[in-house]
Amino acid sequence: MPDTQALVNDFISKLKKRKIEGSQATAKQTAELLRSVISQTRVPYTNQAAALIQSVKAVGERLIAANPVELAVGNVVRRVLHIIREEDLSLTTAAMAGLNLSAVSDDEDDADRDNQPVLSAAAIAAASRSTLRPPSLQTLLEDVPDSAAIPHTSSSGGDSEGKSKSADKSSRSRKLKHDVIEAVNELIQDISTCHEQIAEQAVEHIHQNEVILTLGSSRTVLEFLCAAKEKKRSFRVFVSEGAPRYQGHLLAKELVMRGLQTTLITDSAVFAMISRVNMVIVGAHAVMANGGVIAPVGLNMVALAAQKHAVPFVVLAGSHKLCPLYPHHPEVLLNELRSPSELLDFGEFSDCLDFGSGIGAPLLHVVNPTFDYVQPKLVSLFITDTGGHNPSYIGEMYRLFVVSACGEGMNFKSEIMRTNCIAEGNFVKSSIRMRGINFFGKLEDRKSQFFCGCGEM
Amino acid sequence: MGAQKKGATARVAEDSEVVARHSLQAILLADSFTTKFHSIILERPRVLLPLVNIPMIDYTLAWLESAGVEEVFVFCCAHSKQVIDYLKFSVTTIEANDSISAGDALRLIYERQVIDGDFVLISGDTVSNMSLTQALEEHKEIRKRDANAIMTMVVQHSKPSPITQQSRLGTDELFMAINPDTKQLLYYEDKAEYSKGFISLDKTLIADNPSIVLHNDKQDCYIDICSEQVLSLFTDNFDYQHLRRHFVKGLLLDDIMGYKIFTHEIHSSYAARIDNFRSYDTISKDIIQRWTYPFVPDILCGSSAIKLERQGIYRASEVTLSRSAQVGSFTVIGQGTKIGNNTKISHSVIGEGCSIGSNVTIEGSYIWNDVTIEDGCRLSHAIVCDGVTMKLGAVLEPGVVLSFKVVVGEQFVVPAYSMVSLIQQPTQQDSDEELEYAENSSGTVEIPSDKLNGEIASDLSETQYGPTPELGTGGVGYIWSIFEGAHDEEWRHSVAPIPTDKLAKIMLDKDEDEELLTQDGNALVEELKSDSEDDDNEGSRDDYASFEKEVQATFLRAVHENVKVDHAVLEMNGLRLSYNIAAVDCAGAIFYSMMKLAVESLHSSARELHRNAVEVITTWQKLLKSFVHDIDEEILHLLYDKEILQEDAILRWADEKEGADESDKMFLKRSEKFIQWLREAEEEEED
């Protein structure tokens, strides 16, 4: 444990000091950290999943607080939590299937028990229905009427469950942890190969003799362009330098090294050049649930220019950048003001910042925001590692591919309550709670909408 | 010497290995060893004073951590318990209550033998976000080349205000001479006398270095990368107290063992030290403007605790803000603070748990934690420490500092620049400034008496919490009287911006000074002639002026009292020796006095004046001659160059003296060459 603690603290301080650059690196390191947290967590005999979720959640909250503007951290934490629940559920359903037989044999006298097999069958069916479909919410919601109908579940039933579970316990706990770690490994794999998976689609989007415009530097964009180049497509790239960090310069250099015809322009020349451009391809910092994009500063201008000239605006984003939150959510920190020294040399301008004279307040303010928010309507296409999507599909996509319905994804509290229910395997108790959660989830939704109204006002 | 050098180079090789292996260490002095902030630091150490609601030492430690320093030794002295309690053993603390200066601290650290390589020396009130790696690389690189390079100082561009001659941090104008090629520091003067209007450089500096750049637009960041020899140097020179005044200047002037100091300039990153109330104000504003990113409130506290809103307003969660309250730009409001109706706040920092009433105006002020400000108070450019209560309608004028738990009575107006504390002002308090100047000019080391430890206990026990009339009805606290000497200078280091009338006054004074200077210049042309010959002593001008006066007085006395010439010669010689003035200068002074006498005595025409002059000179020629032993053609040449003597006059003089006797011809012979040159030149011109 202590060494994980040290690892966690180290990572937190790195996040805090903004030492980790790029959401992919952050996502990968977060996943690796959570993997070691999971492997170090001592799993009790009961509530294994809850224990895992507890520890992941505890670490996750600290990580998110360390750099709230890096949404990839939260995304990965959510996905790991989801993985734990998913694995737990599949194990539970398997156990239920086993239990089914014994329950039938043991408790014939209890007529209501008949419901139980039906219930678990439904759960199994739900789980097996689709790999794409997250079974959690839907499955459980389907269960609700059944279990609600038997609020007086006999203690004998519970006991028998307990017995059969205890027999399973040792193998289950080991299996759960093992499975979770396996799945997290897959997640890490996914994150680290997302470039290639996105790049594979390059040929479908980039055509011969096209002119592509991009801003700043993104590794995903670089790989994407190079993949098209490797497939013998010949095209030209305009790179906007991306003030104030001028990472476009680095991208231009890289592109030239890979043999691409590159033109470097200033950010202010984007409007002038856009009429010659066939497609804008950019990277993103995060993709929000409504399809809005948080991207390096300057991109909104590019998006507007693209819209004006009807140039497709394509955003490349690995699935770790998909965030289940809405941009107007009060908890989301959309922007960060970085040091003004990226714009100005402090020494040179120190005499403009003399507070000793005048009104005691500086006349010179330097503001250096890091991100822009690009509205979903300005985005023509998202290309993720699972393919190309329309912005309006992003929220749905997130639900299908990544985690769960938005109501829960937002809130850790409902998640932990729900996990408790599942882990207890007591659907009767859970049903009541589920309703509550459902209600709260809705409430949460309303609240966020309310806030959204406020924000836009 | 050769052997020594060999040893040194061998050690360097060894050192570089050590450097590669050993972890980077830092010594953090959690005591400023000065009495700046004196009204506050009697109760709390400077490093724990909140800077934008976070103790100063947190900024320093956070920076050291992010800069890759693995081991920090925090040296605590005054209030060591508070510091150690605050840090809770997260770092190694060294405690010594008897250390009274940075020098003592470093000697103690040397005795402990905890430092084993290069280390960063920093005081606990430094805010920075610079990257150390480059500076360290540079330091190592230089050390590889030159084993005597023991320290790299971090400097930054910052032009001092042309009017007040102080930097934006409120420190005095700093002069540094740096070799632009090697970046070696050659000269360091932070207490230049402006009245003199000049600084002096050792001419060997110019001889030894092909080029020197003299800066007055550099700011010392007080971040030093030192080799371990620095510690042993402090131990060897036990009279070193102050890091800059003694150690740096000592090394530069005395040339101890040929040790050298180098500089590293940072450009875009930030580094500054809180040295006085003005720098507290300036650095707070820099932090709020995010120059110190990522060491800004919303990141250091965590964004859930403090959020940055539009216009640079940092607001903590759970702030109760009245709808009608107006919070202006660049303001920080701490957790749990309540702000009443129609209150206006701008450019200020408000701490945690404060309650601010209605119709309060706060402008450019720093209000710490748990402060109560009742309705209708007005604060501008003040510092208000923890637990202060301001009753209804109290007013703080610019530059006021209220120390811990002071109570200001109803409707009471605290006058500008006053320091108010519950503790009575220590009686034998010396002004820090005076002390520093005294040390500086006399060159001897006075140990600054450390009042902090010994007296604070007694002071605290003596404190009576009775109502004192000093702060109005119901007020508690003492207004400290401002020290002699520092009286006019209060505004220089206060949090308040310098009032415009003050600036105008300085401008005016300065103009007058300049006029005076030019006048003086005209009057003393002759004097300057002789003066320009000796460039080694910048003080000589002042000395010479007073010497001249003395000579004049003596001469006049001699004339009026009809003193014998021989006696006059003796007297003059005594005077000359006591002032350590060259014979030539003395002659100059005498000549000047003679001429003055001639001019001053009654005369109606030029002819009469001439006669007067001749009379005086003939009477006192022996006096003059006794000092003019070795006047040579150079002076003549100089006079000619400066167009004081016309060519014709010189030639005429030479012709005149042609037929004179030997003793008269003495001067002529000496200046033969020059006259010859003049004649030749004339002939050439005629051609």
Side-chain angles (χ1 to χ4, degrees):
Chain A
M1 275 312 262
D3 50 343
T4 21
Q5 270 313 316
L7 277 178
V8 169
N9 288 336
D10 191 40
F11 189 62
I12 283 175
S13 86
K14 271 190 195 159
L15 280 176
K16 257 196 169 171
K17 310 257 157 63
R18 311 298 193 247
K19 283 258 173 91
I20 305 169
E21 289 275 327
S23 40
Q24 201 216 6
T26 319
K28 201 173 163 191
Q29 288 185 42
T30 310
E32 279 164 0
L33 184 77
L34 291 178
R35 182 179 61 186
S36 62
V37 167
I38 290 168
S39 68
Q40 295 268 340
T41 306
R42 259 171 238 251
V43 186
Y45 285 117
T46 52
N47 279 358
Q48 301 93 344
L52 284 183
I53 285 176
Q54 195 80 282
S55 55
V56 169
K57 199 176 75 85
V59 172
E61 272 175 355
R62 288 175 63 199
L63 294 183
I64 291 169
N67 188 355
V69 87
E70 187 53 274
L71 296 165
V73 176
N75 299 342
V76 169
V77 172
R78 275 184 213 100
R79 286 185 68 169
V80 169
L81 286 175
H82 173 68
I83 284 169
I84 298 171
R85 283 203 310 271
E86 196 80 320
E87 294 298 333
D88 184 55
L89 193 83
S90 66
L91 282 177
T92 314
T93 44
M96 292 299 268
L99 181 74
N100 193 8
L101 301 172
S102 60
V104 170
S105 56
D106 282 0
D107 300 299
E108 291 130 319
D109 53 327
D110 197 336
D112 287 342
R113 277 328 281 176
D114 289 350
N115 283 331
Q116 198 71 6
V118 176
L119 183 147
S120 39
I124 295 160
S128 58
R129 211 173 287 155
S130 157
T131 49
L132 287 182
R133 181 122 176 237
S136 44
L137 188 66
Q138 285 90 335
T139 322
L140 290 168
L141 283 177
E142 279 168 25
D143 294 343
V144 168
D146 296 319
S147 9
I150 42 157
H152 58 280
T153 306
S154 60
S155 56
S156 66
D159 281 345
S160 69
E161 264 179 44
K163 272 178 210 160
S164 58
K165 270 182 87 180
S166 68
D168 264 346
K169 256 169 216 160
S170 56
S171 66
R172 250 195 76 187
S173 75
R174 246 185 293 118
K175 195 159 182 326
L176 176 69
K177 212 157 131 177
H178 179 257
D179 288 355
V180 167
I181 288 172
E182 279 292 293
V184 173
N185 278 336
E186 262 171 46
L187 176 67
I188 294 170
Q189 189 68 24
D190 277 357
I191 293 170
S192 45
T193 58
C194 78
H195 290 318
E196 286 105 74
Q197 291 188 3
I198 294 173
E200 270 172 25
Q201 306 161 50
V203 217
E204 299 164 27
H205 298 282
I206 298 177
H207 307 293
Q208 193 71 13
N209 293 330
E210 272 189 343
V211 176
I212 312 287
L213 176 87
T214 185
L215 180 134
S217 176
S218 156
R219 199 162 146 231
T220 324
V221 172
L222 174 72
E223 297 290 336
F224 193 80
L225 295 174
C226 292
K229 166 81 183 166
E230 275 161 26
K231 297 269 167 63
K232 305 287 178 218
R233 283 279 144 80
S234 115
F235 56 97
R236 285 188 299 154
V237 184
F238 286 1
V239 180
S240 182
E241 59 187 357
R245 305 181 77 194
Y246 300 110
Q247 289 183 319
H249 297 175
L250 300 177
L251 181 73
K253 199 175 171 190
E254 276 288 313
L255 289 173
V256 169
M257 301 283 269
R258 312 262 188 116
L260 271 157
Q261 182 64 48
T262 309
T263 309
L264 188 70
I265 60 171
T266 59
D267 293 343
S268 40
V270 164
F271 244 102
M273 306 300 273
I274 198 86
S275 55
R276 290 163 60 187
V277 171
N278 296 102
M279 183 162 44
V280 178
I281 299 179
V282 292
H285 173 70
V287 179
M288 307 309 286
N290 64 346
V293 180
I294 296 178
V297 68
L299 261 185
N300 198 27
M301 182 192 67
V302 177
L304 286 169
Q307 191 200 34
K308 181 88 179 164
H309 289 260
V311 175
F313 186 82
V314 177
V315 175
L316 309 183
S319 57
H320 59 271
K321 291 187 180 178
L322 304 185
C323 180
L325 307 179
Y326 283 87
H328 44 253
H329 194 280
E331 293 295 310
V332 176
L333 189 67
L334 282 184
N335 218 335
E336 178 165 64
L337 297 180
R338 295 175 65 90
S339 171
S341 58
E342 283 174 2
L343 275 74
L344 294 180
D345 183 333
F346 179 74
E348 289 287 314
F349 282 82
S350 58
D351 37 350
C352 301
L353 297 163
D354 196 341
F355 309 125
S357 48
I359 53 162
L363 296 172
L364 178 71
H365 296 163
V366 187
V367 178
N368 180 15
T370 319
F371 300 117
D372 254 356
Y373 173 67
V374 181
Q375 290 178 4
K377 67 171 185 188
L378 298 179
V379 181
S380 321
L381 187 70
F382 283 104
I383 301 176
T384 72
D385 32 7
T386 53
H389 306 283
N390 194 307
S392 60
Y393 186 61
I394 279 290
E396 193 63 24
M397 189 177 79
Y398 185 82
R399 220 161 294 156
L400 288 180
F401 289 98
V402 187
V403 193
S404 46
C406 51
E408 307 150 75
M410 280 186 197
N411 194 327
F412 280 118
K413 273 181 202 138
S414 58
E415 244 168 26
I416 182 171
M417 282 172 81
R418 218 189 61 184
T419 341
N420 280 340
C421 307
I422 299 165
E424 277 163 20
N426 192 335
F427 290 100
V428 185
K429 271 187 194 163
S430 73
S431 66
I432 302 160
R433 285 190 196 169
M434 274 311 300
R435 279 189 170 167
I437 290 153
N438 202 12
F439 175 69
F440 283 127
K442 281 268 163 54
L443 199 73
E444 199 79 12
D445 247 344
R446 291 240 177 84
K447 205 172 92 193
S448 70
Q449 261 158 21
F450 171 71
F451 274 117
C452 113
C454 290
E456 273 161 12
M457 258 158 37
Chain B
M1 189 64 201
Q4 219 175 6
K5 249 195 178 149
K6 236 185 205 169
T9 47
R11 203 174 62 229
V12 170
E14 211 177 85
D15 267 6
S16 60
E17 281 170 34
V18 171
V19 164
R21 266 189 282 118
H22 99 280
S23 59
L24 183 57
Q25 293 172 311
I27 296 177
L28 189 153
L29 301 177
D31 195 327
S32 52
F33 305 110
T34 67
T35 52
K36 299 259 177 67
F37 287 96
H38 46 267
S39 63
I40 304 174
I41 57 171
L42 283 179
E43 291 163 67
R44 195 190 282 186
R46 194 205 279 196
V47 292
L48 294 188
L49 301 183
L51 183 68
V52 197
N53 293 341
I54 299 165
M56 290 179 194
I57 198 170
D58 280 5
Y59 288 94
T60 317
L61 287 175
W63 169 67
L64 284 175
E65 192 196 349
S66 76
V69 173
E70 288 161 55
E71 203 173 359
V72 180
F73 298 96
V74 177
F75 188 88
C76 317
C77 178
H79 304 287
S80 52
K81 202 166 174 319
Q82 280 188 48
V83 178
I84 291 170
D85 283 351
Y86 179 76
L87 295 172
K88 293 201 187 76
F89 302 104
S90 61
V91 288
T92 318
T93 49
I94 297 172
E95 188 183 356
N97 287 321
D98 52 346
S99 293
I100 50 165
S101 69
D104 283 352
L106 292 181
R107 281 186 276 278
L108 193 89
I109 289 166
Y110 181 70
E111 279 168 29
R112 300 274 174 101
Q113 296 191 328
V114 285
I115 299 295
D116 55 355
D118 291 356
F119 63 95
V120 180
L121 181 59
I122 189 174
S123 74
D125 42 18
T126 310
V127 178
S128 175
N129 64 355
M130 67 174 279
S131 147
L132 264 183
T133 34
Q134 210 193 340
L136 272 174
E137 280 307 306
E138 225 167 80
H139 180 73
K140 279 177 201 161
E141 205 54 40
I142 292 168
R143 267 185 71 78
K144 245 179 236 168
R145 267 190 279 123
D146 190 342
N148 283 331
I150 54 164
M151 184 161 132
T152 301
M153 268 167 66
V154 176
V155 295
Q156 187 176 33
H157 180 97
S158 166
K159 192 143 182 60
S161 155
I163 302 168
T164 56
Q165 310 287 353
Q166 69 178 11
S167 71
R168 59 194 294 271
L169 296 176
T171 50
D172 292 325
E173 195 170 16
L174 170 68
F175 290 98
M176 278 186 181
I178 295 170
N179 183 332
D181 304 321
T182 61
K183 303 280 176 226
Q184 190 187 341
L185 180 71
L186 302 167
Y187 177 78
Y188 184 99
E189 182 58 64
D190 54 350
K191 296 272 177 212
E193 291 280 353
Y194 308 115
S195 52
K196 277 193 206 160
F198 56 84
I199 57 166
S200 67
L201 286 178
D202 194 346
K203 72 179 169 194
T204 55
L205 285 183
I206 300 164
D208 295 344
N209 296 280
S211 56
I212 287 180
V213 180
L214 183 64
H215 299 275
N216 80 333
D217 58 350
K218 295 277 180 269
Q219 171 197 317
D220 187 351
C221 302
Y222 295 97
I223 297 169
D224 303 322
I225 296 154
C226 307
S227 306
E228 65 267 39
Q229 283 101 315
V230 171
L231 291 180
S232 56
L233 259 177
F234 263 99
T235 313
D236 294 346
N237 298 275
F238 52 84
D239 55 343
Y240 282 177
Q241 305 289 346
H242 191 276
L243 261 181
R244 292 287 183 261
R245 216 169 300 134
H246 300 131
F247 177 70
V248 170
K249 282 186 190 166
L251 275 194
L252 293 177
L253 294 177
D254 303 349
D255 209 19
I256 303 166
M257 317 271 289
Y259 284 134
K260 288 173 190 161
I261 298 173
F262 288 82
T263 56
H264 171 78
E265 189 175 355
I266 52 173
H267 294 280
S268 58
S269 42
Y270 187 87
R273 180 174 169 218
I274 297 152
D275 190 45
N276 51 46
F277 287 119
R278 175 161 317 286
S279 50
Y280 180 86
D281 174 58
T282 306
I283 293 172
S284 296
K285 282 178 176 147
D286 288 341
I287 290 171
I288 293 169
Q289 294 218 31
R290 304 180 79 79
W291 287 101
T292 58
Y293 181 94
F295 307 111
V296 287
D298 57 326
I299 294 179
L300 273 183
C301 298
S303 313
S304 49
I306 289 191
K307 276 210 177 102
L308 174 58
E309 297 169 6
R310 293 259 164 93
Q311 289 192 301
I313 300 170
Y314 294 78
R315 189 155 61 166
S317 53
E318 294 166 38
V319 169
T320 316
L321 196 62
S322 155
R323 274 185 87 83
S324 56
Q326 294 172 29
V327 177
S329 56
F330 297 104
T331 297
V332 179
I333 299 176
Q335 186 135 8
T337 289
K338 295 191 187 79
I339 296 170
N341 299 327
N342 292 318
T343 288
K344 283 183 194 149
I345 301 175
S346 64
H347 299 288
S348 300
V349 176
I350 317 269
E352 292 170 13
C354 295
S355 73
I356 295 168
S358 306
N359 299 313
V360 175
T361 312
I362 299 174
E363 188 192 353
S365 299
Y366 298 90
I367 293 166
W368 297 357
N369 301 336
D370 305 316
V371 173
T372 309
I373 297 174
E374 294 181 2
D375 296 355
C377 289
R378 273 190 293 123
L379 293 86
S380 74
H381 305 287
I383 292 180
V384 178
C385 298
D386 289 4
V388 168
T389 306
M390 286 178 68
K391 301 250 168 111
L392 277 172
V395 175
L396 299 188
E397 290 192 343
V400 169
V401 177
L402 297 185
S403 189
F404 298 89
K405 291 182 182 152
V406 163
V407 180
V408 181
E410 273 178 37
Q411 310 289 342
F412 187 78
V413 179
V414 183
Y417 305 118
S418 40
M419 310 268 164
V420 184
S421 173
L422 283 188
I423 300 171
Q424 252 171 333
Q425 186 168 17
T427 42
Q428 74 277 39
Q429 175 110 23
D430 297 309
S431 159
D432 186 40
E433 292 299 311
E434 279 177 354
L435 200 71
E436 283 168 9
Y437 276 113
E439 277 177 45
N440 208 19
S441 52
S442 64
T444 56
V445 179
E446 283 173 45
I447 295 165
S449 58
D450 185 49
K451 293 159 288 292
L452 298 177
N453 298 313
E455 278 180 23
I456 187 158
S458 57
D459 270 336
L460 275 171
S461 60
E462 277 168 26
T463 309
Q464 293 146 6
Y465 289 86
T468 43
E470 271 184 272
L471 286 169
T473 43
V476 181
Y478 301 97
I479 298 182
W480 288 19
S481 59
I482 298 159
F483 328 113
E484 297 283 314
H487 198 278
D488 293 337
E489 303 290 300
E490 275 300 310
W491 50 267
R492 272 189 188 275
H493 303 302
S494 113
V495 276
I498 300 165
T500 40
D501 55 321
K502 272 283 197 271
L503 286 179
K505 192 165 161 271
I506 302 169
M507 291 271 268
L508 214 68
D509 287 355
K510 214 172 159 188
D511 286 352
E512 277 172 11
D513 277 359
E514 260 163 28
E515 270 169 35
L516 268 179
L517 218 79
T518 45
Q519 276 175 8
D520 280 0
N522 287 337
L524 297 174
V525 170
E526 274 172 276
E527 175 208 327
L528 280 174
K529 291 290 100 49
S530 52
D531 214 340
S532 56
E533 292 284 280
D534 52 11
D535 54 354
D536 56 337
N537 194 355
E538 91 286 353
S540 69
R541 217 182 74 156
D542 272 2
D543 286 356
Y544 186 75
S546 61
F547 170 72
E548 203 177 55
K549 265 185 206 150
E550 286 282 316
V551 167
Q552 216 170 310
T554 317
F555 180 72
L556 284 178
R557 196 162 45 82
V559 171
H560 292 312
E561 292 173 10
N562 286 326
V563 178
K564 276 189 185 169
V565 175
D566 289 343
H567 292 179
V569 169
L570 275 179
E571 217 164 307
M572 288 292 175
N573 220 356
L575 210 57
R576 180 178 76 85
L577 290 175
S578 72
Y579 274 86
N580 195 17
I581 300 280
V584 185
D585 294 338
C586 185
I590 294 167
F591 186 71
Y592 179 66
S593 320
M594 285 163 119
M595 282 297 134
K596 209 169 170 191
L597 182 70
V599 171
E600 275 168 359
S601 52
L602 288 171
H603 61 274
S604 50
S605 63
R607 182 176 286 276
E608 220 168 313
L609 176 67
H610 180 245
R611 215 180 40 239
N612 277 348
V614 171
E615 198 180 316
V616 171
I617 291 173
T618 43
T619 323
W620 297 100
Q621 59 178 335
K622 199 178 169 197
L623 178 64
L624 198 56
K625 269 185 191 165
S626 61
F627 289 102
V628 189
H629 303 297
D630 43 21
I631 189 162
D632 50 9
E633 62 169 356
E634 271 175 43
I635 289 178
L636 204 56
H637 198 161
L638 190 81
L639 288 171
Y640 169 71
D641 273 355
K642 297 285 174 186
E643 295 184 344
I644 289 166
L645 288 181
Q646 291 295 320
E647 193 180 324
D648 290 348
I650 298 172
L651 291 178
R652 216 168 36 234
W653 171 69
D655 290 342
E656 229 172 72
K657 291 282 173 182
E658 208 72 36
D661 57 295
E662 274 307 299
S663 62
D664 264 12
K665 269 188 174 174
M666 191 171 70
F667 296 133
L668 194 63
K669 269 184 197 161
R670 292 222 181 114
S671 44
E672 220 162 15
K673 268 188 193 165
F674 175 64
I675 288 165
Q676 206 173 345
W677 174 79
L678 270 182
R679 283 196 172 136
E680 276 167 17
E682 205 175 16
E683 277 161 24
E684 270 171 36
E685 257 173 49
E686 276 165 17
D687 291 346

